[in-house]
Amino acid sequence: MWSFFVPILTYICAVKKNIHIILISLIFSVILWGSISLSNDYFTTIDVKLKLVNFPEGYTTGSQLPERVTVKIRGNGWKLIAVTLGADVEYVVSAQGDSGRKYVNLYNFLIDNQWISHGIEVIDISPDTLSFFVERIISKKVKIVPDFAIDFKPGYGLASPAEIFPDSTVVFGPVSIIRNMNEVKTELIRFENLDGKKIQQVALKDRQGLSYENRVIRVALDVQKIIEKNLDHLQVEVLDVPADRDVVLLPNRLSISVRGGIEILGKLNTSDIKTFVHYRDVVLDTVGSISPRIELPENISLVFSRPERLRYIIKKFN
């Protein structure tokens, strides 16, 4: 029985001793095979970024153009690898130095794109033509609007509106776009499971033909635990009562519940809240009771007030 295993064990030991030689031979064979294979011509299709250049000074375009073009090429395998695995290439197209409507054929700019070297043949470009309008650049100061996607930890939320610095910027671009622009958005900002204050820098949304005085802004989020707080015995005033009149409210005090960030409500006093009715609203009432008005500090919301309506008596002095 042992005589059967002896040759096998001997072979395994021999292989282990020469494993490095076997691996080197295998690697060399793969390199040799690859070298021979990549010497042949192949076809491939790549997406490259479209870049317009040579605008007249003080001019640009706001036309909607594709961000990338699809180029089908043929060439030596080594050259195709250099193109596809190298730096992100661009397909450069000249605006041809004057203003107005342009119609250009992308095949006319092959020589301007140095990555299309000798030995690489362009078979197809899609799209193969572009139409755009070259127009004067103007500037305008506009509001910055953050684009949020926020997920809060349960029980938490924004205690106050997001703070943006700066809150506006000067935008430079084609007159057809800038004259109707009143705001500019940031790139989408995603936050997950927030339970505390957050400060982050974010770029303004990129758009063809536009540039910004401030490309990057700072966004601050005041995230707090959101709670409710009850306030009782708030006196309701009657405003603008004529000198020969008096209005008695029944009752003349309210209990309210408010919602907000824990730090904000922790500093809240009854003196920060105004509860009132206008004499004019009392006079115009037709049902015998009136809803009080409640003014709360910024970033605090009303949950409920009790009672919701107040009865009244109007007294007239002689």
Side-chain angles (χ1 to χ4, degrees):
M1 178 177 179
W2 286 105
S3 60
F4 173 77
F5 289 104
V6 169
I8 297 176
L9 293 173
T10 303
Y11 176 75
I12 292 174
C13 291
V15 170
K16 286 184 176 181
K17 290 181 179 180
N18 298 287
I19 187 68
H20 62 287
I21 298 176
I22 296 173
L23 288 175
I24 292 173
S25 299
L26 180 61
I27 293 171
F28 178 77
S29 299
V30 171
I31 293 174
L32 182 61
W33 172 82
S35 178
I36 295 173
S37 298
L38 291 174
S39 297
N40 299 323
D41 282 353
Y42 295 91
F43 292 90
T44 190
T45 300
I46 59 174
D47 287 334
V48 298
K49 184 177 180 180
L50 177 65
K51 183 178 182 181
L52 294 182
V53 298
N54 295 335
F55 286 101
E57 186 176 354
Y59 284 76
T60 187
T61 182
S63 302
Q64 291 295 319
L65 295 172
E67 292 185 3
R68 308 180 77 85
V69 295
T70 302
V71 183
K72 184 177 181 180
I73 54 178
R74 178 177 64 190
N76 178 277
W78 289 109
K79 291 186 177 181
L80 295 186
I81 285 180
V83 170
T84 56
L85 298 183
D88 190 22
V89 295
E90 299 174 327
Y91 197 88
V92 177
V93 176
S94 174
Q96 300 177 344
D98 57 355
S99 61
R101 175 66 65 182
K102 302 289 183 179
Y103 297 94
V104 298
N105 189 313
L106 268 60
Y107 286 100
N108 295 335
F109 301 95
L110 296 178
I111 195 171
D112 298 327
N113 291 273
Q114 297 181 359
W115 59 271
I116 306 175
S117 59
H118 178 71
I120 293 181
E121 179 184 1
V122 174
I123 306 301
D124 181 64
I125 304 175
S126 179
D128 59 2
T129 57
L130 299 176
S131 173
F132 55 92
F133 193 81
V134 177
E135 54 186 315
R136 183 169 54 89
I137 294 174
I138 63 171
S139 64
K140 185 178 182 181
K141 191 171 186 177
V142 299
K143 179 182 177 181
I144 296 174
V145 178
D147 190 5
F148 289 136
I150 308 177
D151 175 45
F152 298 103
K153 184 177 284 188
Y156 287 80
L158 277 178
S160 59
E163 293 184 2
I164 306 167
F165 183 82
D167 60 0
S168 61
T169 187
V170 177
V171 185
F172 303 87
V175 60
S176 62
I177 294 178
I178 299 298
R179 66 186 176 192
N180 297 318
M181 178 179 285
N182 296 311
E183 63 182 36
V184 60
K185 286 189 173 184
T186 66
E187 296 287 354
L188 178 62
I189 318 169
R190 295 186 181 275
F191 299 104
E192 295 185 358
N193 209 30
L194 285 185
D195 61 355
K197 295 181 180 180
K198 183 77 173 181
I199 298 176
Q200 182 164 320
Q201 289 189 326
V202 61
L204 300 182
K205 197 167 187 177
D206 196 18
R207 184 171 174 180
Q208 171 70 41
L210 298 186
S211 60
Y212 306 102
E213 181 182 49
N214 302 101
R215 182 73 174 84
V216 178
I217 66 166
R218 185 183 67 192
V219 176
L221 302 179
D222 184 12
V223 178
Q224 299 179 20
K225 189 172 183 63
I226 303 300
I227 63 171
E228 293 183 6
K229 182 176 182 177
N230 295 328
L231 298 164
D232 300 319
H233 309 299
L234 299 177
Q235 186 168 357
V236 183
E237 295 183 79
V238 184
L239 305 181
D240 305 322
V241 181
D244 62 341
R245 297 286 192 277
D246 187 20
V247 177
V248 178
L249 298 176
L250 303 169
N252 66 346
R253 294 182 181 274
L254 294 178
S255 294
I256 67 172
S257 179
V258 294
R259 178 184 290 115
I262 188 170
E263 295 179 19
I264 294 176
L265 292 190
K267 302 174 183 177
L268 181 66
N269 296 313
T270 55
S271 58
D272 299 324
I273 301 172
K274 294 181 180 180
T275 54
F276 60 91
V277 297
H278 285 287
Y279 177 76
R280 176 179 173 79
D281 295 334
V282 175
V283 173
L284 295 177
D285 173 60
T286 60
V287 298
S289 64
I290 190 169
S291 296
R293 302 192 186 194
I294 303 171
E295 288 187 358
L296 298 172
E298 195 175 18
N299 307 317
I300 295 176
S301 60
L302 180 69
V303 179
F304 65 80
S305 67
R306 292 174 181 164
E308 293 183 358
R309 300 184 67 85
L310 306 175
R311 292 178 293 114
Y312 56 86
I313 298 173
I314 301 177
K315 294 182 180 181
K316 182 177 179 180
F317 302 115
N318 294 329

